[in-house]
PDB file of all heavy atoms in Angstrom:
ATOM      1  N   GLU E 292     -16.807   2.722 -16.865  1.00  0.00           N
ATOM      2  CA  GLU E 292     -17.092   4.169 -16.918  1.00  0.00           C
ATOM      3  C   GLU E 292     -17.397   4.626 -15.517  1.00  0.00           C
ATOM      4  O   GLU E 292     -18.256   4.082 -14.835  1.00  0.00           O
ATOM      5  CB  GLU E 292     -18.284   4.447 -17.815  1.00  0.00           C
ATOM      6  CG  GLU E 292     -18.648   5.934 -17.841  1.00  0.00           C
ATOM      7  CD  GLU E 292     -19.831   6.204 -18.747  1.00  0.00           C
ATOM      8  OE1 GLU E 292     -20.406   5.249 -19.257  1.00  0.00           O
ATOM      9  OE2 GLU E 292     -20.167   7.370 -18.890  1.00  0.00           O
ATOM     10  N   TYR E 293     -16.575   5.585 -15.034  1.00  0.00           N
ATOM     11  CA  TYR E 293     -16.893   6.133 -13.725  1.00  0.00           C
ATOM     12  C   TYR E 293     -16.659   7.637 -13.789  1.00  0.00           C
ATOM     13  O   TYR E 293     -15.794   8.114 -14.487  1.00  0.00           O
ATOM     14  CB  TYR E 293     -16.036   5.492 -12.628  1.00  0.00           C
ATOM     15  CG  TYR E 293     -14.572   5.566 -12.843  1.00  0.00           C
ATOM     16  CD1 TYR E 293     -13.831   6.651 -12.379  1.00  0.00           C
ATOM     17  CD2 TYR E 293     -13.907   4.548 -13.537  1.00  0.00           C
ATOM     18  CE1 TYR E 293     -12.484   6.716 -12.597  1.00  0.00           C
ATOM     19  CE2 TYR E 293     -12.560   4.615 -13.735  1.00  0.00           C
ATOM     20  CZ  TYR E 293     -11.844   5.688 -13.275  1.00  0.00           C
ATOM     21  OH  TYR E 293     -10.498   5.759 -13.473  1.00  0.00           O
ATOM     22  N   ILE E 294     -17.451   8.374 -13.061  1.00  0.00           N
ATOM     23  CA  ILE E 294     -17.369   9.831 -13.090  1.00  0.00           C
ATOM     24  C   ILE E 294     -17.010  10.317 -11.703  1.00  0.00           C
ATOM     25  O   ILE E 294     -17.615   9.922 -10.713  1.00  0.00           O
ATOM     26  CB  ILE E 294     -18.714  10.444 -13.520  1.00  0.00           C
ATOM     27  CG1 ILE E 294     -19.066   9.939 -14.927  1.00  0.00           C
ATOM     28  CG2 ILE E 294     -18.668  11.942 -13.468  1.00  0.00           C
ATOM     29  CD1 ILE E 294     -20.408  10.413 -15.403  1.00  0.00           C
ATOM     30  N   TYR E 295     -15.996  11.149 -11.650  1.00  0.00           N
ATOM     31  CA  TYR E 295     -15.613  11.738 -10.381  1.00  0.00           C
ATOM     32  C   TYR E 295     -16.458  12.987 -10.134  1.00  0.00           C
ATOM     33  O   TYR E 295     -16.395  13.941 -10.912  1.00  0.00           O
ATOM     34  CB  TYR E 295     -14.134  12.120 -10.391  1.00  0.00           C
ATOM     35  CG  TYR E 295     -13.238  10.935 -10.264  1.00  0.00           C
ATOM     36  CD1 TYR E 295     -12.820  10.248 -11.387  1.00  0.00           C
ATOM     37  CD2 TYR E 295     -12.836  10.487  -9.012  1.00  0.00           C
ATOM     38  CE1 TYR E 295     -12.014   9.135 -11.277  1.00  0.00           C
ATOM     39  CE2 TYR E 295     -12.024   9.379  -8.898  1.00  0.00           C
ATOM     40  CZ  TYR E 295     -11.616   8.719 -10.026  1.00  0.00           C
ATOM     41  OH  TYR E 295     -10.805   7.622  -9.915  1.00  0.00           O
ATOM     42  N   LEU E 296     -17.283  12.998  -9.086  1.00  0.00           N
ATOM     43  CA  LEU E 296     -18.089  14.154  -8.736  1.00  0.00           C
ATOM     44  C   LEU E 296     -17.208  15.176  -8.045  1.00  0.00           C
ATOM     45  O   LEU E 296     -16.131  14.879  -7.572  1.00  0.00           O
ATOM     46  CB  LEU E 296     -19.232  13.691  -7.816  1.00  0.00           C
ATOM     47  CG  LEU E 296     -20.067  12.534  -8.380  1.00  0.00           C
ATOM     48  CD1 LEU E 296     -21.106  12.104  -7.368  1.00  0.00           C
ATOM     49  CD2 LEU E 296     -20.734  12.936  -9.684  1.00  0.00           C
ATOM     50  N   HIS E 297     -17.696  16.387  -7.939  1.00  0.00           N
ATOM     51  CA  HIS E 297     -16.867  17.445  -7.388  1.00  0.00           C
ATOM     52  C   HIS E 297     -17.008  17.583  -5.879  1.00  0.00           C
ATOM     53  O   HIS E 297     -16.087  18.035  -5.211  1.00  0.00           O
ATOM     54  CB  HIS E 297     -17.202  18.778  -8.059  1.00  0.00           C
ATOM     55  CG  HIS E 297     -16.968  18.735  -9.529  1.00  0.00           C
ATOM     56  ND1 HIS E 297     -15.727  18.511 -10.075  1.00  0.00           N
ATOM     57  CD2 HIS E 297     -17.818  18.869 -10.577  1.00  0.00           C
ATOM     58  CE1 HIS E 297     -15.810  18.528 -11.375  1.00  0.00           C
ATOM     59  NE2 HIS E 297     -17.058  18.732 -11.719  1.00  0.00           N
ATOM     60  N   THR E 298     -18.146  17.281  -5.351  1.00  0.00           N
ATOM     61  CA  THR E 298     -18.346  17.490  -3.924  1.00  0.00           C
ATOM     62  C   THR E 298     -19.099  16.337  -3.330  1.00  0.00           C
ATOM     63  O   THR E 298     -19.767  15.575  -4.018  1.00  0.00           O
ATOM     64  CB  THR E 298     -19.154  18.783  -3.662  1.00  0.00           C
ATOM     65  OG1 THR E 298     -20.400  18.675  -4.338  1.00  0.00           O
ATOM     66  CG2 THR E 298     -18.407  20.013  -4.170  1.00  0.00           C
ATOM     67  N   GLN E 299     -18.975  16.182  -2.037  1.00  0.00           N
ATOM     68  CA  GLN E 299     -19.756  15.171  -1.320  1.00  0.00           C
ATOM     69  C   GLN E 299     -19.923  15.640   0.109  1.00  0.00           C
ATOM     70  O   GLN E 299     -18.989  16.163   0.704  1.00  0.00           O
ATOM     71  CB  GLN E 299     -19.037  13.815  -1.338  1.00  0.00           C
ATOM     72  CG  GLN E 299     -19.850  12.739  -0.619  1.00  0.00           C
ATOM     73  CD  GLN E 299     -18.985  11.544  -0.225  1.00  0.00           C
ATOM     74  OE1 GLN E 299     -17.868  11.729   0.202  1.00  0.00           O
ATOM     75  NE2 GLN E 299     -19.538  10.356  -0.345  1.00  0.00           N
ATOM     76  N   ARG E 300     -21.122  15.466   0.662  1.00  0.00           N
ATOM     77  CA  ARG E 300     -21.333  15.798   2.065  1.00  0.00           C
ATOM     78  C   ARG E 300     -20.614  14.790   2.930  1.00  0.00           C
ATOM     79  O   ARG E 300     -20.669  13.603   2.679  1.00  0.00           O
ATOM     80  CB  ARG E 300     -22.817  15.777   2.380  1.00  0.00           C
ATOM     81  CG  ARG E 300     -23.298  17.131   2.895  1.00  0.00           C
ATOM     82  CD  ARG E 300     -24.777  17.207   2.972  1.00  0.00           C
ATOM     83  NE  ARG E 300     -25.367  16.126   3.761  1.00  0.00           N
ATOM     84  CZ  ARG E 300     -26.651  15.907   3.830  1.00  0.00           C
ATOM     85  NH1 ARG E 300     -27.480  16.658   3.157  1.00  0.00           N
ATOM     86  NH2 ARG E 300     -27.133  14.930   4.549  1.00  0.00           N
ATOM     87  N   ILE E 301     -19.886  15.235   3.931  1.00  0.00           N
ATOM     88  CA  ILE E 301     -19.207  14.325   4.844  1.00  0.00           C
ATOM     89  C   ILE E 301     -20.245  13.601   5.699  1.00  0.00           C
ATOM     90  O   ILE E 301     -21.158  14.212   6.238  1.00  0.00           O
ATOM     91  CB  ILE E 301     -18.238  15.096   5.774  1.00  0.00           C
ATOM     92  CG1 ILE E 301     -17.189  15.824   4.944  1.00  0.00           C
ATOM     93  CG2 ILE E 301     -17.583  14.150   6.763  1.00  0.00           C
ATOM     94  CD1 ILE E 301     -16.336  14.894   4.108  1.00  0.00           C
ATOM     95  N   ARG E 302     -20.111  12.312   5.792  1.00  0.00           N
ATOM     96  CA  ARG E 302     -21.034  11.530   6.625  1.00  0.00           C
ATOM     97  C   ARG E 302     -20.651  11.732   8.089  1.00  0.00           C
ATOM     98  O   ARG E 302     -19.745  11.090   8.610  1.00  0.00           O
ATOM     99  CB  ARG E 302     -20.940  10.062   6.248  1.00  0.00           C
ATOM    100  CG  ARG E 302     -21.406   9.782   4.809  1.00  0.00           C
ATOM    101  CD  ARG E 302     -21.231   8.306   4.514  1.00  0.00           C
ATOM    102  NE  ARG E 302     -21.796   7.940   3.235  1.00  0.00           N
ATOM    103  CZ  ARG E 302     -21.169   8.071   2.081  1.00  0.00           C
ATOM    104  NH1 ARG E 302     -19.966   8.588   2.060  1.00  0.00           N
ATOM    105  NH2 ARG E 302     -21.739   7.699   0.960  1.00  0.00           N
ATOM    106  N   LEU E 303     -21.363  12.648   8.755  1.00  0.00           N
ATOM    107  CA  LEU E 303     -20.992  13.009  10.114  1.00  0.00           C
ATOM    108  C   LEU E 303     -21.118  11.839  11.078  1.00  0.00           C
ATOM    109  O   LEU E 303     -20.313  11.698  12.002  1.00  0.00           O
ATOM    110  CB  LEU E 303     -21.855  14.184  10.586  1.00  0.00           C
ATOM    111  CG  LEU E 303     -21.611  15.505   9.853  1.00  0.00           C
ATOM    112  CD1 LEU E 303     -22.534  16.589  10.410  1.00  0.00           C
ATOM    113  CD2 LEU E 303     -20.174  15.928   9.986  1.00  0.00           C
ATOM    114  N   GLY E 304     -22.118  11.017  10.841  1.00  0.00           N
ATOM    115  CA  GLY E 304     -22.276   9.899  11.764  1.00  0.00           C
ATOM    116  C   GLY E 304     -21.074   8.980  11.734  1.00  0.00           C
ATOM    117  O   GLY E 304     -20.543   8.596  12.773  1.00  0.00           O
ATOM    118  N   ALA E 305     -20.612   8.637  10.530  1.00  0.00           N
ATOM    119  CA  ALA E 305     -19.454   7.750  10.423  1.00  0.00           C
ATOM    120  C   ALA E 305     -18.214   8.430  10.966  1.00  0.00           C
ATOM    121  O   ALA E 305     -17.374   7.809  11.622  1.00  0.00           O
ATOM    122  CB  ALA E 305     -19.250   7.335   8.966  1.00  0.00           C
ATOM    123  N   ALA E 306     -18.082   9.732  10.674  1.00  0.00           N
ATOM    124  CA  ALA E 306     -16.897  10.446  11.155  1.00  0.00           C
ATOM    125  C   ALA E 306     -16.861  10.481  12.678  1.00  0.00           C
ATOM    126  O   ALA E 306     -15.828  10.263  13.301  1.00  0.00           O
ATOM    127  CB  ALA E 306     -16.888  11.863  10.590  1.00  0.00           C
ATOM    128  N   LEU E 307     -18.032  10.796  13.304  1.00  0.00           N
ATOM    129  CA  LEU E 307     -18.075  10.825  14.768  1.00  0.00           C
ATOM    130  C   LEU E 307     -17.770   9.456  15.352  1.00  0.00           C
ATOM    131  O   LEU E 307     -17.034   9.328  16.339  1.00  0.00           O
ATOM    132  CB  LEU E 307     -19.459  11.302  15.228  1.00  0.00           C
ATOM    133  CG  LEU E 307     -19.728  12.801  15.056  1.00  0.00           C
ATOM    134  CD1 LEU E 307     -21.206  13.091  15.241  1.00  0.00           C
ATOM    135  CD2 LEU E 307     -18.905  13.589  16.056  1.00  0.00           C
ATOM    136  N   ALA E 308     -18.321   8.432  14.727  1.00  0.00           N
ATOM    137  CA  ALA E 308     -18.064   7.094  15.241  1.00  0.00           C
ATOM    138  C   ALA E 308     -16.598   6.732  15.106  1.00  0.00           C
ATOM    139  O   ALA E 308     -16.015   6.087  15.975  1.00  0.00           O
ATOM    140  CB  ALA E 308     -18.930   6.085  14.494  1.00  0.00           C
ATOM    141  N   LEU E 309     -15.988   7.153  14.005  1.00  0.00           N
ATOM    142  CA  LEU E 309     -14.574   6.880  13.826  1.00  0.00           C
ATOM    143  C   LEU E 309     -13.749   7.555  14.906  1.00  0.00           C
ATOM    144  O   LEU E 309     -12.843   6.964  15.489  1.00  0.00           O
ATOM    145  CB  LEU E 309     -14.133   7.372  12.438  1.00  0.00           C
ATOM    146  CG  LEU E 309     -12.637   7.277  12.129  1.00  0.00           C
ATOM    147  CD1 LEU E 309     -12.208   5.816  12.149  1.00  0.00           C
ATOM    148  CD2 LEU E 309     -12.333   7.908  10.791  1.00  0.00           C
ATOM    149  N   CYS E 310     -14.074   8.818  15.172  1.00  0.00           N
ATOM    150  CA  CYS E 310     -13.347   9.535  16.218  1.00  0.00           C
ATOM    151  C   CYS E 310     -13.505   8.854  17.568  1.00  0.00           C
ATOM    152  O   CYS E 310     -12.549   8.724  18.337  1.00  0.00           O
ATOM    153  CB  CYS E 310     -13.854  10.982  16.302  1.00  0.00           C
ATOM    154  SG  CYS E 310     -13.572  11.904  14.791  1.00  0.00           S
ATOM    155  N   ALA E 311     -14.724   8.449  17.853  1.00  0.00           N
ATOM    156  CA  ALA E 311     -14.998   7.880  19.166  1.00  0.00           C
ATOM    157  C   ALA E 311     -14.247   6.594  19.394  1.00  0.00           C
ATOM    158  O   ALA E 311     -13.965   6.222  20.536  1.00  0.00           O
ATOM    159  CB  ALA E 311     -16.500   7.631  19.310  1.00  0.00           C
ATOM    160  N   ALA E 312     -13.895   5.899  18.313  1.00  0.00           N
ATOM    161  CA  ALA E 312     -13.240   4.609  18.504  1.00  0.00           C
ATOM    162  C   ALA E 312     -11.775   4.613  18.112  1.00  0.00           C
ATOM    163  O   ALA E 312     -11.153   3.576  18.077  1.00  0.00           O
ATOM    164  CB  ALA E 312     -13.977   3.536  17.713  1.00  0.00           C
ATOM    165  N   LEU E 313     -11.225   5.785  17.782  1.00  0.00           N
ATOM    166  CA  LEU E 313      -9.805   5.831  17.452  1.00  0.00           C
ATOM    167  C   LEU E 313      -8.994   5.215  18.590  1.00  0.00           C
ATOM    168  O   LEU E 313      -9.179   5.537  19.760  1.00  0.00           O
ATOM    169  CB  LEU E 313      -9.339   7.271  17.236  1.00  0.00           C
ATOM    170  CG  LEU E 313      -9.398   7.795  15.800  1.00  0.00           C
ATOM    171  CD1 LEU E 313      -9.184   9.293  15.800  1.00  0.00           C
ATOM    172  CD2 LEU E 313      -8.363   7.098  14.961  1.00  0.00           C
ATOM    173  N   LEU E 314      -8.105   4.370  18.214  1.00  0.00           N
ATOM    174  CA  LEU E 314      -7.196   3.673  19.120  1.00  0.00           C
ATOM    175  C   LEU E 314      -7.863   2.559  19.908  1.00  0.00           C
ATOM    176  O   LEU E 314      -7.192   1.817  20.614  1.00  0.00           O
ATOM    177  CB  LEU E 314      -6.490   4.635  20.089  1.00  0.00           C
ATOM    178  CG  LEU E 314      -5.871   5.883  19.445  1.00  0.00           C
ATOM    179  CD1 LEU E 314      -5.166   6.709  20.498  1.00  0.00           C
ATOM    180  CD2 LEU E 314      -4.918   5.495  18.354  1.00  0.00           C
ATOM    181  N   LEU E 315      -9.190   2.442  19.845  1.00  0.00           N
ATOM    182  CA  LEU E 315      -9.849   1.346  20.540  1.00  0.00           C
ATOM    183  C   LEU E 315      -9.833   0.085  19.686  1.00  0.00           C
ATOM    184  O   LEU E 315      -9.635  -1.012  20.185  1.00  0.00           O
ATOM    185  CB  LEU E 315     -11.301   1.738  20.864  1.00  0.00           C
ATOM    186  CG  LEU E 315     -11.476   2.727  22.025  1.00  0.00           C
ATOM    187  CD1 LEU E 315     -12.942   3.080  22.151  1.00  0.00           C
ATOM    188  CD2 LEU E 315     -10.948   2.138  23.316  1.00  0.00           C
ATOM    189  N   GLY E 316     -10.065   0.275  18.352  1.00  0.00           N
ATOM    190  CA  GLY E 316     -10.051  -0.863  17.453  1.00  0.00           C
ATOM    191  C   GLY E 316     -11.346  -1.630  17.481  1.00  0.00           C
ATOM    192  O   GLY E 316     -12.344  -1.215  18.033  1.00  0.00           O
ATOM    193  N   ASN E 317     -11.306  -2.768  16.937  1.00  0.00           N
ATOM    194  CA  ASN E 317     -12.462  -3.632  16.808  1.00  0.00           C
ATOM    195  C   ASN E 317     -12.174  -4.923  17.540  1.00  0.00           C
ATOM    196  O   ASN E 317     -11.329  -5.704  17.147  1.00  0.00           O
ATOM    197  CB  ASN E 317     -12.718  -3.911  15.311  1.00  0.00           C
ATOM    198  CG  ASN E 317     -13.998  -4.685  15.113  1.00  0.00           C
ATOM    199  OD1 ASN E 317     -14.447  -5.393  15.999  1.00  0.00           O
ATOM    200  ND2 ASN E 317     -14.578  -4.552  13.914  1.00  0.00           N
ATOM    201  N   ALA E 318     -12.834  -5.141  18.633  1.00  0.00           N
ATOM    202  CA  ALA E 318     -12.537  -6.303  19.456  1.00  0.00           C
ATOM    203  C   ALA E 318     -12.817  -7.588  18.704  1.00  0.00           C
ATOM    204  O   ALA E 318     -12.081  -8.571  18.827  1.00  0.00           O
ATOM    205  CB  ALA E 318     -13.377  -6.257  20.739  1.00  0.00           C
ATOM    206  N   ALA E 319     -13.870  -7.583  17.917  1.00  0.00           N
ATOM    207  CA  ALA E 319     -14.188  -8.805  17.182  1.00  0.00           C
ATOM    208  C   ALA E 319     -13.084  -9.141  16.197  1.00  0.00           C
ATOM    209  O   ALA E 319     -12.707 -10.294  16.042  1.00  0.00           O
ATOM    210  CB  ALA E 319     -15.517  -8.635  16.443  1.00  0.00           C
ATOM    211  N   ALA E 320     -12.560  -8.105  15.518  1.00  0.00           N
ATOM    212  CA  ALA E 320     -11.486  -8.365  14.563  1.00  0.00           C
ATOM    213  C   ALA E 320     -10.239  -8.814  15.280  1.00  0.00           C
ATOM    214  O   ALA E 320      -9.455  -9.619  14.781  1.00  0.00           O
ATOM    215  CB  ALA E 320     -11.199  -7.103  13.733  1.00  0.00           C
ATOM    216  N   ALA E 321      -9.992  -8.281  16.471  1.00  0.00           N
ATOM    217  CA  ALA E 321      -8.793  -8.660  17.210  1.00  0.00           C
ATOM    218  C   ALA E 321      -8.826 -10.123  17.596  1.00  0.00           C
ATOM    219  O   ALA E 321      -7.797 -10.760  17.774  1.00  0.00           O
ATOM    220  CB  ALA E 321      -8.646  -7.789  18.459  1.00  0.00           C
ATOM    221  N   GLN E 322     -10.036 -10.669  17.769  1.00  0.00           N
ATOM    222  CA  GLN E 322     -10.145 -12.063  18.155  1.00  0.00           C
ATOM    223  C   GLN E 322      -9.978 -12.987  16.962  1.00  0.00           C
ATOM    224  O   GLN E 322      -9.718 -14.177  17.120  1.00  0.00           O
ATOM    225  CB  GLN E 322     -11.519 -12.310  18.802  1.00  0.00           C
ATOM    226  CG  GLN E 322     -11.688 -11.583  20.142  1.00  0.00           C
ATOM    227  CD  GLN E 322     -13.100 -11.706  20.664  1.00  0.00           C
ATOM    228  OE1 GLN E 322     -13.954 -12.311  20.030  1.00  0.00           O
ATOM    229  NE2 GLN E 322     -13.331 -11.135  21.830  1.00  0.00           N
ATOM    230  N   ALA E 323     -10.164 -12.436  15.742  1.00  0.00           N
ATOM    231  CA  ALA E 323     -10.057 -13.278  14.554  1.00  0.00           C
ATOM    232  C   ALA E 323      -8.609 -13.425  14.154  1.00  0.00           C
ATOM    233  O   ALA E 323      -7.901 -12.446  13.996  1.00  0.00           O
ATOM    234  CB  ALA E 323     -10.849 -12.649  13.398  1.00  0.00           C
ATOM    235  N   ALA E 324      -8.152 -14.646  14.035  1.00  0.00           N
ATOM    236  CA  ALA E 324      -6.753 -14.866  13.685  1.00  0.00           C
ATOM    237  C   ALA E 324      -6.521 -14.491  12.239  1.00  0.00           C
ATOM    238  O   ALA E 324      -7.291 -14.857  11.362  1.00  0.00           O
ATOM    239  CB  ALA E 324      -6.383 -16.341  13.894  1.00  0.00           C
ATOM    240  N   GLY E 325      -5.439 -13.770  11.970  1.00  0.00           N
ATOM    241  CA  GLY E 325      -5.091 -13.412  10.608  1.00  0.00           C
ATOM    242  C   GLY E 325      -4.368 -14.553   9.932  1.00  0.00           C
ATOM    243  O   GLY E 325      -3.997 -15.538  10.560  1.00  0.00           O
ATOM    244  N   PRO E 326      -4.148 -14.442   8.626  1.00  0.00           N
ATOM    245  CA  PRO E 326      -3.454 -15.487   7.891  1.00  0.00           C
ATOM    246  C   PRO E 326      -1.995 -15.588   8.326  1.00  0.00           C
ATOM    247  O   PRO E 326      -1.403 -14.618   8.781  1.00  0.00           O
ATOM    248  CB  PRO E 326      -3.556 -15.024   6.430  1.00  0.00           C
ATOM    249  CG  PRO E 326      -3.768 -13.555   6.518  1.00  0.00           C
ATOM    250  CD  PRO E 326      -4.545 -13.330   7.784  1.00  0.00           C
ATOM    251  N   THR E 327      -1.419 -16.756   8.193  1.00  0.00           N
ATOM    252  CA  THR E 327      -0.036 -16.953   8.581  1.00  0.00           C
ATOM    253  C   THR E 327       0.857 -16.160   7.661  1.00  0.00           C
ATOM    254  O   THR E 327       0.820 -16.336   6.443  1.00  0.00           O
ATOM    255  CB  THR E 327       0.335 -18.445   8.478  1.00  0.00           C
ATOM    256  OG1 THR E 327      -0.560 -19.168   9.309  1.00  0.00           O
ATOM    257  CG2 THR E 327       1.776 -18.671   8.905  1.00  0.00           C
ATOM    258  N   PRO E 328       1.669 -15.239   8.184  1.00  0.00           N
ATOM    259  CA  PRO E 328       2.495 -14.406   7.308  1.00  0.00           C
ATOM    260  C   PRO E 328       3.594 -15.224   6.659  1.00  0.00           C
ATOM    261  O   PRO E 328       4.139 -16.140   7.262  1.00  0.00           O
ATOM    262  CB  PRO E 328       3.065 -13.348   8.267  1.00  0.00           C
ATOM    263  CG  PRO E 328       3.042 -14.010   9.611  1.00  0.00           C
ATOM    264  CD  PRO E 328       1.849 -14.928   9.602  1.00  0.00           C
ATOM    265  N   THR E 329       3.937 -14.864   5.434  1.00  0.00           N
ATOM    266  CA  THR E 329       5.038 -15.522   4.754  1.00  0.00           C
ATOM    267  C   THR E 329       6.349 -14.876   5.145  1.00  0.00           C
ATOM    268  O   THR E 329       6.408 -13.733   5.577  1.00  0.00           O
ATOM    269  CB  THR E 329       4.856 -15.403   3.231  1.00  0.00           C
ATOM    270  OG1 THR E 329       4.698 -14.020   2.900  1.00  0.00           O
ATOM    271  CG2 THR E 329       3.619 -16.166   2.781  1.00  0.00           C
TER     272      THR E 329
END
């Protein structure tokens, strides 16, 4: 059972942080090797 609410306040902190790092990425994730593609 899940209910879809009608409105939600935008999390400005997360949004600003997302903007600030667009195209920069996550250095830690870049260092982690991904799974071998099939």
Side-chain angles (χ1 to χ4, degrees):
E292 177 180 5
Y293 55 89
I294 300 176
Y295 285 89
L296 307 177
H297 300 298
T298 58
Q299 181 199 40
R300 239 170 55 188
I301 300 299
R302 296 178 173 84
L303 293 180
L307 286 167
L309 175 63
C310 298
L313 268 168
L314 312 182
L315 285 176
N317 186 335
Q322 293 173 359
T327 302
T329 54

